[in-house]
């Protein structure tokens, strides 16, 4: 586990991203991706996971928001992987059911060093403002695959897409915070002896 500020710069023909992450922070975030709703979701994620994050993304938003959202997910996942593994002295597993008005979303995750995503019961079409709803799954897939996290997120109920998506980000945040909780009795939380 690395309890320090980690940094990354990732530049492609589609995005130019610089980011900093501290996993045991205070929830302080400076987010500027050029996608307003996504910024709002990342700020909520950082706040409730108690991560300190700085993210700057200049992307080809004149095309659409896909590359920016996916590539920010790749960067966050990469930083999480660097910070978390090898796993030692933490809970490893975390879960949460987060409600936001009529919406409820569950998240269960395992800092397993094995990437997997289950994303169920969400609307895949439509927009919140200019933000395409289908990009939420792309973000969570990019994070889970690059952080080597087994991540299950499921909508239990909800009609307002803004509420549902925000509940998903916050549920992920709380589950991650719980999985990262320090527990000196745990040592390496695996019968295999390594993660």
């Amino acid at each position: 586990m690395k309890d320090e500020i980690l940094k990354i710069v990732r530049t492609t023909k589609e995005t130019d991203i610089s980011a900093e992450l501290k996993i045991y922070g205070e929830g302080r975030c400076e987010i500027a991706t050029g996608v307003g709703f996504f910024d709002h979701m990342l700020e909520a994620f950082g706040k409730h996971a108690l991560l300190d994050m700085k993210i700057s993304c200049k992307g080809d938003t004149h095309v659409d928001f896909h590359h920016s959202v996916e590539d920010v997910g790749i960067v966050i996942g990469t930083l999480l992987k660097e910070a978390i593994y090898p796993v030692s002295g933490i809970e490893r597993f975390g879960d949460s059911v987060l409600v936001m008005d009529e919406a409820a979303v569950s998240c269960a995750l395992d800092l397993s060093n094995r990437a997997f995503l289950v994303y169920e019961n969400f609307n895949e079409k439509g927009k919140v403002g200019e933000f395409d709803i289908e990009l939420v799954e792309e973000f969570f897939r990019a994070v889970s695959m690059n952080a080597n996290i087994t991540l299950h997120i499921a909508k239990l109920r909800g009609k307002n897409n803004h509420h549902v998506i925000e509940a998903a980000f916050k549920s992920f945040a709380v589950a991650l915070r719980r999985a990262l909780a320090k527990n000196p009795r745990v040592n390496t939380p695996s019968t295999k002896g390594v993660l």
Side-chain angles (χ1 to χ4, degrees), residues 1-6 21-25 78-88 90 180 182:
M1 303 293 297
K2 294 181 183 172
D3 188 11
E4 61 194 56
I5 297 172
L6 302 174
L21 175 73
K22 186 172 191 286
I23 59 171
Y24 295 110
T78 301
L79 288 172
L80 284 171
K81 181 178 179 180
E82 183 180 349
I84 293 168
Y85 304 108
V87 171
S88 181
I90 62 169
L180 289 170
K182 294 180 181 180

Side-chain angles (χ1 to χ4, degrees), residues 47-184:
K47 175 70 175 176
H48 294 284
L50 294 177
L51 305 173
D52 291 342
M53 291 193 305
K54 290 183 182 179
I55 299 173
S56 173
C57 174
K58 295 177 183 175
D60 57 355
T61 54
H62 62 285
V63 176
D64 66 10
F65 298 155
H66 186 282
H67 298 139
S68 294
V69 172
E70 182 178 31
D71 289 5
V72 167
I74 290 169
V75 164
I76 290 173
T78 301
L79 288 172
L80 284 171
K81 181 178 179 180
E82 183 180 349
I84 293 168
Y85 304 108
V87 171
S88 181
I90 62 169
E91 289 293 334
R92 175 182 164 182
F93 303 99
D95 66 343
S96 171
V97 175
L98 204 296
V99 296
M100 187 166 179
D101 296 343
E102 88 297 346
V105 175
S106 73
C107 176
L109 62 84
D110 178 6
L111 304 180
S112 60
N113 210 7
R114 295 186 307 277
F116 201 88
L117 175 67
V118 174
Y119 185 80
E120 291 183 335
N121 304 327
F122 292 91
N123 295 334
E124 294 299 321
K125 295 183 179 179
K127 292 179 179 282
V128 175
E130 296 300 311
F131 184 87
D132 293 309
I133 291 170
E134 66 189 22
L135 296 180
V136 178
E137 182 175 6
E138 294 300 322
F139 170 76
F140 286 124
R141 179 175 292 108
V143 171
S144 64
M145 294 300 149
N146 287 276
N148 281 357
I149 293 174
T150 300
L151 178 60
H152 290 228
I153 304 176
K155 183 181 87 170
L156 304 178
R157 66 191 63 86
K159 296 179 181 178
N160 181 296
N161 287 324
H162 186 133
H163 293 166
V164 169
I165 294 168
E166 189 162 347
F169 275 82
K170 289 178 177 176
S171 182
F172 174 47
V174 173
L176 180 62
R177 187 182 77 216
R178 290 174 176 169
L180 289 170
K182 294 180 181 180
N183 185 338

